[in-house]
Amino acid sequence: MSFFDPSSRTPARRSVWLAVRVLIVRLRFFLVLVAVLLLVGYWHVLRNYWDRWTRSSAVPDGAISADTEYWCPMCPGVVSDWPSKCPVCNMTLVRRKKGESVPLPDGVLARMQFSPYRVQLAGIRTADIEYRPLRREVVLVGVVEQSRSTSAVAVRAEVFAVDLPFLREGQTIEVDADPLPGHVPFQGKIARIESASVRLEIDDPERELRPGTLITARAEAPIMRLPWWQRAVLEEWRNQTAADLALHTLFAPAMPAFPGGVEPLLHQAGTQATLAMGQGAAVPCGAVIDHGARKVVFVENGPGMFDAVEVVVGPRCGDFYPVLRGLETGQRVAATGAFLLDAEMGLDRGLAAAYFGASRGASEPTPAAPATAPSSLSTEDQRLAAKQKTCPVTGEALDAMGGPVRVEVAGRVVFVCCKACEKPLRRSPAKYLAKLPAK
């Protein structure tokens, strides 16, 4: 006889059995739910046990430990706790200790991988490096002096030294006159270029421009067609070719006919073809982080993985920089959120403290006082800053870097775009004061 044999049950046993069955029926959904929750909550533990039981025979003794992992040198984002092959390039994974630093590729300053959640949270957006027809716009302000002929007037306009490489004699310009708002732009050309000014000739068949009229002229220069930029591209190609030939000579001494320099030659052929069409590789301005001594761009080389790469770029053209070195077309860079990546990677500790609230150590120097805010300037200083408009050191707008910052030098009140520009201004006042219009 047993408890489960109905014929052997006493009335008391039958009552207990009936109560158990009723309890099981009523709690069956709750028990199933608890079992599912336990399975989900401890899934990673069960999976680890399963991996150990199923793979232990294929792994040598002592090959796996708590501080060991396997990674792919070709695809650094591929990391495994077990020896296997990379699912991307099929290369055998290399063993290393967890947290061990590995050599970075040439030109890569730092590397970090972020989860999709952190990428979304930081608002990081990427953009392609593409060929673009970049043009640099130069704005000239001057006053009509006198008529030269029946259909042209002469204008002398001030120009910053940083803008001179983008101007040439005979270059066409479009002119707007302050007293004639909404007027169709006048056409003209640059007649002569001087050290700190240019002479303009403006077509005015209706003689609407009177002596003393304030005009604003705009000249556009296609960067890729400028001779000095093309020379810079050729010089970069020569350096790459020389380095490639040196490597082939060093590592293949028995093969003098080995085709060293072919890759840079083919690359340069494509570059020259695009230059002939007035186009070149361009990177968004928001992707370039300026550290003063170097400029850094964050290149995406895998899902959520970014490399800090040093680049050499040309002058800003609208929302883009032309690329001279460090980037290739087809690469993707962090166009939005690059400052956060820079702070996270520790390339700029000041930014890390500002963005992430990191505490400063006692040994770290006290940060410099912030630049004078525009609202703290007196009414007279605000008027002078509005008249000056641009920083004599960088040529940028006075509010481009948090300014204007008031500086008294050589008995004159001058405004710069940031605190960093104060030092070069005080060191060479004559050089930069010459760029400012007369009082």
Side-chain angles (χ1 to χ4, degrees), residues 3 5-19:
F3 181 82
D5 185 4
S7 61
S8 64
R9 297 173 184 168
T10 64
R13 288 186 175 182
R14 285 197 296 270
S15 298
V16 173
W17 174 245
L18 181 61

Side-chain angles (χ1 to χ4, degrees), residues 144-326:
V144 176
E145 292 184 342
Q146 62 183 2
S147 299
R148 282 193 172 180
S149 64
T150 58
S151 62
V153 295
V155 174
R156 180 180 180 275
E158 302 293 332
V159 61
F160 288 105
V162 294
D163 291 330
L164 286 175
F166 308 101
L167 303 178
R168 69 180 188 279
E169 294 183 0
Q171 187 174 358
T172 59
I173 57 174
E174 287 190 349
V175 179
D176 293 319
D178 283 5
L180 303 172
H183 191 283
V184 176
F186 296 90
Q187 303 299 314
K189 65 178 182 180
I190 298 177
R192 187 170 70 254
I193 299 178
E194 300 173 352
S195 59
S197 63
V198 294
R199 292 283 181 173
L200 309 177
E201 288 185 357
I202 304 173
D203 296 331
D204 183 23
E206 303 296 330
R207 303 188 65 82
E208 298 174 284
L209 299 177
R210 306 295 183 183
T213 302
L214 183 65
I215 62 95
T216 301
R218 290 177 174 81
E220 286 191 345
I223 293 295
M224 305 306 166
R225 297 185 185 276
L226 294 177
W228 59 268
W229 177 257
Q230 294 181 348
R231 287 195 299 270
V233 174
L234 284 174
E235 184 64 26
E236 179 63 20
W237 166 67
R238 292 192 188 100
N239 294 338
Q240 293 180 357
T241 303
D244 189 69
L245 289 173
L247 288 175
H248 281 81
T249 303
L250 179 63
F251 292 104
M255 302 177 62
F258 194 78
V262 172
E263 183 178 353
L265 180 62
L266 295 177
H267 181 270
Q268 181 63 18
T271 301
Q272 290 298 321
T274 57
L275 288 177
M277 296 185 294
Q279 297 189 359
V283 58
C285 291
V288 181
I289 306 299
D290 193 345
H291 287 272
R294 64 187 179 191
K295 292 180 172 62
V296 176
V297 170
F298 295 93
V299 180
E300 185 183 39
N301 66 0
M305 180 173 289
F306 294 90
D307 288 347
V309 178
E310 184 174 356
V311 297
V312 177
V313 297
R316 179 170 179 169
C317 300
D319 295 329
F320 295 90
Y321 286 109
V323 177
L324 183 63
R325 184 193 313 151

Side-chain angles (χ1 to χ4, degrees), residues 27-101:
L27 296 180
R28 63 183 183 278
F29 295 108
F30 175 76
L31 295 176
V32 171
L33 179 61
V34 171
V36 171
L37 292 177
L38 290 175
L39 180 63
V40 173
Y42 289 91
W43 175 254
H44 62 287
V45 177
L46 298 175
R47 183 176 179 180
N48 287 339
Y49 280 115
W50 175 260
D51 289 340
R52 289 183 182 180
W53 293 335
T54 56
R55 300 187 184 182
S56 58
S57 59
V59 178
D61 292 337
I64 303 297
S65 64
D67 60 346
T68 300
E69 64 183 5
Y70 295 82
W71 70 293
C72 177
M74 299 297 295
C75 309
V78 177
V79 181
S80 173
D81 291 330
W82 304 89
S84 60
K85 291 189 175 181
C86 175
V88 179
C89 63
N90 203 37
M91 179 179 178
T92 302
L93 300 185
V94 179
R95 183 180 179 179
R96 70 179 181 189
K97 290 186 176 295
K98 291 184 178 179
E100 177 184 0
S101 59

